[in-house]
Amino acid sequence: MTALDPTSYRLINPKFLGDKIEDVEEELFLLYTRRASFRPENGGRADALQSIITSDNRNGSALGLVDQRNDHIELQFTFPKHVSPKHSPKQARSSRKTGRGNKKREDEDGKTSVQMETLEITLAQDITGLRSRVGDTGGGVWRGSVLLSQALLTHFHDTSSDHLFDVTLLKECCVLELGAGTGLLGLILGPLVTLWTCTDLPEMVTLIKKNHALNRDSTMDGSLRTEALDWNKLYECAFAARKRMFPISSFSSISGDRPTTRELELDTRDRDIDLILAVDCVYNPSLIPPLLTTIDHFSSPNKTIVMVVMELRDDEVVRQFLTQWCMMPAWEVWRIGDDRNQVFLDERFVIWIGLKGSE
């Protein structure tokens, strides 16, 4: 197999790419050494995510659940928009109805301004499931999803800094999210792409759809879908039957079997998935083979980019996951950020980018 060149995948900014993972043990040593150096910032931040970024709040958990007591949780995300004076709003305004607001800040030269937008999200949680069902973690809001949402939202809108993703190409992407949980990432990032498909176990679909309905506005029309996807069923399915039982088109087209006018215009039918995203999905060793099989099944060679985001907890689970991923035929894996390149999230987290070549 010819070595893959991640820089040829223009969606990812090479400034954020570290070295390819060649030695799993070395990678784990570097990650957990860096993890041990994490220190919460002592002041300097005034945003609404401060308590989540620095530590678990009084209702959270040591594993990273933001709030494990309340049925609903409210989050605020802020992000900058650089605008010229003639397009700047005359005064700050806010709207509780839409969950969006903005505040203008003039640059020092007075020629441009930064409009600080606020996005308010209300999420329902399945607290009963978290408490009563062993191994059920999808019904809560996890710290990793919150911080990744804020980071990507800022990167997408802030023209003064480098972007992890090419913004223009990202707008044209079909994204498949595995283990979507409460559906937070789709709510935040779905409007930024052509299609965002949230997937999770059948029993989680109702919760995701409920949260999308709670927060839906006109910017999300047609770009956000929810589908049931059980990794274990795909894993147990005979290889020859997987394409028929789990067709990629069911997760990469806006309307499923019946195309809409917008879908015809965007030509999203029967297209490949551009980006697969899995955030905090690796916690149980028994789920690693089904998850990796699912990732492999929906990835098109030399086309699909896989982004795995994980909070560094049990090093043995991380070791098993990374070892098995790197051993999969035709796959190569890189870390986002190292000593030479920009780090995207803080030391508690790791982001890996995986690419599948032709076998």
Side-chain angles (χ1 to χ4, degrees):
M1 183 188 76
T2 304
L4 294 170
D5 179 10
T7 61
S8 64
Y9 292 70
R10 296 181 299 147
L11 180 62
I12 297 291
N13 186 342
K15 291 183 179 181
F16 288 85
L17 281 175
D19 295 329
K20 187 177 76 171
I21 307 302
E22 302 282 4
D23 186 327
V24 172
E25 291 303 320
E26 179 183 11
E27 173 73 353
L28 262 64
F29 174 78
L30 294 173
L31 287 174
Y32 281 91
T33 300
R34 178 172 167 262
R35 171 67 179 85
S37 69
F38 172 73
R39 296 292 182 273
E41 294 184 18
N42 296 318
R45 296 187 62 99
D47 59 80
L49 300 180
Q50 169 69 1
S51 62
I52 298 172
I53 293 171
T54 58
S55 63
D56 302 303
N57 64 25
R58 61 194 179 102
N59 292 330
S61 74
L63 291 177
L65 275 170
V66 175
D67 188 328
Q68 60 181 352
R69 296 185 181 181
N70 296 304
D71 291 327
H72 289 79
I73 180 172
E74 293 187 359
L75 298 169
Q76 285 189 344
F77 299 89
T78 59
F79 55 95
K81 281 192 175 182
H82 295 259
V83 295
S84 61
K86 66 179 180 179
H87 293 120
S88 298
K90 294 183 178 180
Q91 59 183 7
R93 55 187 173 82
S94 63
S95 172
R96 295 290 299 180
K97 183 178 181 181
T98 62
R100 295 175 183 268
N102 61 63
K103 182 177 182 181
K104 187 178 71 172
R105 184 178 73 233
E106 293 290 340
D107 287 353
E108 291 181 0
D109 58 11
K111 295 181 180 179
T112 61
S113 64
V114 179
Q115 178 179 308
M116 298 304 295
E117 296 276 348
T118 298
L119 177 61
E120 299 177 357
I121 297 291
T122 300
L123 293 173
Q125 300 190 113
D126 183 7
I127 298 300
T128 301
L130 289 172
R131 293 174 177 172
S132 61
R133 294 193 292 268
V134 177
D136 189 335
T137 61
V141 179
W142 289 86
R143 178 169 52 201
S145 294
V146 175
L147 300 184
L148 182 66
S149 295
Q150 177 64 78
L152 288 176
L153 198 60
T154 299
H155 271 239
F156 184 89
H157 291 287
D158 189 357
T159 59
S160 65
S161 62
D162 292 323
H163 295 161
L164 174 62
F165 294 109
D166 182 293
V167 173
T168 301
L169 294 178
L170 186 64
K171 292 178 181 177
E172 302 171 358
C173 281
C174 281
V175 179
L176 176 67
E177 183 186 358
L178 304 178
T182 59
L184 170 62
L185 284 163
L187 282 169
I188 298 293
L189 305 173
L192 308 181
V193 301
T194 291
L195 174 65
W196 188 290
T197 302
C198 298
T199 66
D200 212 311
L201 293 169
E203 55 265 32
M204 295 301 302
V205 169
T206 299
L207 178 64
I208 297 173
K209 289 184 175 181
K210 178 180 180 179
N211 283 327
H212 289 175
L214 281 173
N215 298 277
R216 181 175 293 277
D217 62 31
S218 60
T219 64
M220 301 175 189
D221 289 345
S223 66
L224 190 59
R225 289 184 58 209
T226 304
E227 294 292 336
L229 177 60
D230 188 328
W231 310 337
N232 278 308
K233 287 186 177 180
L234 190 152
Y235 179 64
E236 294 165 358
C237 182
F239 180 80
R242 284 176 186 164
K243 288 186 177 180
R244 174 173 55 84
M245 298 299 294
F246 300 91
I248 293 177
S249 59
S250 295
F251 300 88
S252 63
S253 61
I254 291 176
S255 58
D257 297 331
R258 183 177 299 176
T260 63
T261 301
R262 182 170 183 265
E263 181 177 20
L264 292 170
E265 292 174 350
L266 295 171
D267 192 23
T268 62
R269 294 175 302 163
D270 301 324
R271 65 173 288 176
D272 295 323
I273 293 168
D274 301 293
L275 176 65
I276 294 176
L277 182 63
V279 180
D280 257 345
C281 291
V282 182
Y283 57 91
N284 186 337
S286 66
L287 290 178
I288 293 175
L291 172 59
L292 288 173
T293 299
T294 301
I295 288 174
D296 186 70
H297 172 74
F298 286 105
S299 297
S300 300
N302 304 308
K303 168 66 176 178
T304 305
I305 293 175
V306 177
M307 182 175 175
V308 174
V309 183
M310 187 188 310
E311 184 161 357
L312 297 169
R313 302 184 184 93
D314 186 340
D315 61 332
E316 183 55 34
V317 175
V318 178
R319 176 181 288 107
Q320 290 185 40
F321 173 77
L322 188 58
T323 299
Q324 293 180 44
W325 194 11
C326 290
M327 290 179 63
M328 290 173 66
W331 279 92
E332 294 183 8
V333 181
W334 291 259
R335 193 196 330 156
I336 292 292
D338 59 16
D339 293 338
R340 305 185 312 276
N341 298 282
Q342 299 185 51
V343 176
F344 195 65
L345 294 178
D346 67 50
E347 294 88 348
R348 294 170 295 177
F349 300 88
V350 61
I351 303 178
W352 287 305
I353 294 292
L355 303 174
K356 179 182 180 182
S358 302
E359 297 185 41

